[in-house]
Amino acid sequence: GDSVTQMEGPVTLSEEAFLTINCTYTATGYPSLFWYVQYPGEGLQLLLKATKADDKGSNKGFEATYRKETTSFHLEKGSVQVSDSAVYFCALRDLGDDMRFGAGTRLTVKP
Amino acid sequence: GAGVSQSPSNKVTEKGKDVELRCDPISGHTALYWYRQRLGQGLEFLIYFQGNSAPDKSGLPSDRFSAERTGESVSTLTIQRTQQEDSAVYLCASSLEGGMPNYGYTFGSGTRLTVV
């Protein structure tokens, strides 16, 4: 079945560092891909999404490009802030199926 | 409503007692999901409702867990005879329509359940 694999955390960065969180997927169809963010004590929030190959999702300085050839949807940000400290979940959703979530990657940004 | 609302936000209960958790989805969202998230862990799927169809209960961990949803409105998750391993955050999410890949989920803030 469809699945998502994301890099294990925790990831610790200094403020203004470059962030990459890797995500790869396995799917039989043509899924949409998502990144969700969970701040401490809160539910998950949609961060960005891409619905077809080569689409780039972006929000709040974060970007991810839907790469069909490498089955990847890596999350990037050029300069992280302390407020970006959270858990990030990669997810996919295929036609007729439910959302499949990765295990989550905890990011801590230190001042 | 504007978002997915869950209540209570926190619940402390004694082992062996029953608890009921509530989720009020976004109006018009036909799909509703319950997840469990243990401390520091990922999401564990529990149950899925789509409109008036029979729910997908495949994720419920034991017969102590049950959930109901009236039409396309409020859902309640009931845990009977709670155990300490039930301690977790219970997250509810709704979606405009189940099975449509373009639609993301909107999550509530969760109910933090502590069984003592």
Side-chain angles (χ1 to χ4, degrees):
Chain A
D2 292 2
S3 66
V4 170
T5 303
Q6 62 182 106
M7 66 185 284
E8 291 188 22
V11 174
T12 303
L13 295 173
S14 297
E15 206 165 23
E16 299 183 5
F18 186 87
L19 169 71
T20 300
I21 300 178
N22 289 340
C23 171
T24 57
Y25 67 90
T26 303
T28 54
Y30 301 93
S32 293
L33 302 175
F34 303 81
W35 276 100
Y36 283 84
V37 58
Q38 185 178 32
Y39 298 104
E42 299 183 14
L44 278 70
Q45 302 175 24
L46 178 65
L47 180 59
L48 53 85
K49 73 175 185 181
T51 59
K52 61 182 187 298
D54 299 326
D55 270 2
K56 178 186 284 187
S58 61
N59 186 24
K60 299 182 180 179
F62 290 89
E63 293 183 340
T65 301
Y66 190 162
R67 301 282 188 204
K68 196 167 188 299
E69 63 275 16
T70 54
T71 61
S72 65
F73 193 55
H74 304 321
L75 183 68
E76 297 182 336
K77 186 174 185 181
S79 177
V80 293
Q81 305 300 313
V82 172
S83 57
D84 294 327
S85 298
V87 181
Y88 293 82
F89 291 90
C90 186
L92 71 79
R93 191 173 194 189
D94 210 341
L95 184 64
D97 206 357
D98 302 328
M99 193 83 70
R100 304 296 174 112
F101 291 91
T105 302
R106 181 175 299 277
L107 169 67
T108 301
V109 180
K110 297 191 171 180
Chain B
V4 176
S5 178
Q6 290 190 245
S7 61
S9 54
N10 280 285
K11 177 73 176 177
V12 179
T13 189
E14 292 182 352
K15 179 181 171 181
K17 294 284 178 72
D18 297 352
V19 295
E20 191 171 277
L21 312 180
R22 176 188 168 105
C23 173
D24 198 348
I26 291 174
S27 178
H29 279 197
T30 62
L32 186 148
Y33 307 81
W34 283 99
Y35 289 86
R36 179 169 68 181
Q37 187 178 30
R38 291 200 166 105
L39 186 63
Q41 303 296 309
L43 301 176
E44 180 184 357
F45 168 76
L46 297 178
I47 189 167
Y48 158 49
F49 295 90
Q50 171 58 51
N52 294 315
S53 302
D56 175 359
K57 303 179 181 180
S58 60
L60 294 178
S62 77
D63 58 9
R64 296 187 295 105
F65 288 72
S66 63
E68 293 184 349
R69 187 185 186 195
T70 305
E72 296 180 356
S73 62
V74 171
S75 175
T76 55
L77 176 69
T78 301
I79 309 173
Q80 296 178 310
R81 305 181 302 281
T82 51
Q83 303 295 313
Q84 287 185 328
E85 65 262 26
D86 299 334
S87 296
V89 174
Y90 289 82
L91 292 168
C92 176
S94 70
S95 179
L96 192 58
E97 189 171 340
M100 296 303 290
N102 288 1
Y103 299 139
Y105 290 4
T106 302
F107 282 83
S109 297
T111 294
R112 181 175 300 278
L113 175 66
T114 305
V115 182
V116 297

